[in-house]
Amino acid sequence: MLAFMNAEAWEKTLSTATATYWSRSRNTLWVKGETSGNVQRVREIRIDCDRDTVLLKVEQVGGAACHTGHRSCFYQRVGPDGALTVVGTPVFDPREVYKK
Amino acid sequence: MLAFMNAEAWEKTLSTATATYWSRSRNTLWVKGETSGNVQRVREIRIDCDRDTVLLKVEQVGGAACHTGHRSCFYQRVGPDGALTVVGTPVFDPREVYKK
């Protein structure tokens, strides 16, 4: 998955070892998994060559990072003709996890 | 590595199967590896759940994506105290590849 961090999210991620992002739509700190329980325990942190991108290696509680229940948010393959194919099956049912 | 694409870069990536980005600093299309020869041959394209992020699975010619010669741009580990540690060794010498 890809998400945004501001300085506050970065510091909270470091101090709690739990992946914390900044929701630009809700304009608030976002502890990933606080609703579903599927938090991300940070095992290793890398930054890139120009130091503006963070890579978190995590233990994904619940086995899925995506709100759709897929392990990864990148579950749609783009074919040569631009058509999308879903790859893999969801690990959990979002209707159960989010009680919606 | 992480880089930016605009619509033109996306279409060129699809039509050439060679990773093409948009350089926001140079304001121009950027065929990754056009200087070094280390192009990225696209093997698979994924998009994420909200369709605003692209994941390219590539064959990295030359074995390194990073301009520093490292295989990955994410070669710096962040320690608990915030200190950086370089992980791994460069695959190529950037001074030779870029003739600088």
Side-chain angles (χ1 to χ4, degrees), chain A residues 29-89:
Chain A
L29 213 57
W30 168 35
V31 179
K32 166 74 185 163
E34 60 187 339
T35 305
S36 64
N38 294 348
V39 297
Q40 299 178 325
R41 295 189 186 123
V42 178
R43 295 301 181 220
E44 190 179 331
I45 302 178
R46 300 277 189 102
I47 57 169
D48 77 342
C49 49
D50 61 359
R51 304 184 180 187
D52 62 3
T53 307
V54 177
L55 175 68
L56 300 181
K57 300 191 182 190
V58 303
E59 177 201 334
Q60 176 61 65
V61 173
C66 188
H67 73 288
T68 61
H70 283 269
R71 195 180 76 82
S72 156
C73 293
F74 296 91
Y75 63 86
Q76 297 172 95
R77 182 188 291 140
V78 182
D81 55 354
L84 300 181
T85 310
V86 171
V87 183
T89 51

Side-chain angles (χ1 to χ4, degrees), chain B residues 49-80:
Chain B
C49 50
D50 62 359
R51 304 185 180 187
D52 62 3
T53 307
V54 177
L55 176 68
L56 299 180
K57 301 191 180 189
V58 303
E59 177 201 335
Q60 176 62 64
V61 174
C66 188
H67 73 288
T68 60
H70 284 269
R71 194 180 77 82
S72 156
C73 293
F74 296 91
Y75 62 87
Q76 296 172 94
R77 183 188 292 140
V78 182

Side-chain angles (χ1 to χ4, degrees), chain B:
Chain B
M1 60 168 286
L2 182 78
F4 182 79
M5 276 191 188
N6 62 5
E8 193 183 348
W10 166 248
E11 278 151 28
K12 187 131 192 253
T13 297
L14 280 181
S15 64
T16 63
T18 301
T20 306
Y21 307 101
W22 181 261
S23 169
R24 287 175 293 184
S25 56
R26 291 183 288 126
N27 206 39
T28 182
L29 213 57
W30 168 35
V31 179
K32 167 75 184 165
E34 61 188 340
T35 305
S36 65
N38 294 348
V39 297
Q40 298 178 325
R41 294 189 186 124
V42 178
R43 294 302 180 221
E44 191 178 330
I45 302 178
R46 300 279 189 101
I47 57 169
D48 76 342
C49 50
D50 62 359
R51 304 185 180 187
D52 62 3
T53 307
V54 177
L55 176 68
L56 299 180
K57 301 191 180 189
V58 303
E59 177 201 335
Q60 176 62 64
V61 174
C66 188
H67 73 288
T68 60
H70 284 269
R71 194 180 77 82
S72 156
C73 293
F74 296 91
Y75 62 87
Q76 296 172 94
R77 183 188 292 140
V78 182
D81 54 354
L84 300 180
T85 310
V86 171
V87 182
T89 50
V91 172
F92 64 74
D93 181 346
R95 288 168 301 184
E96 280 178 29
V97 166
Y98 298 103
K99 314 289 185 201
K100 281 179 185 167

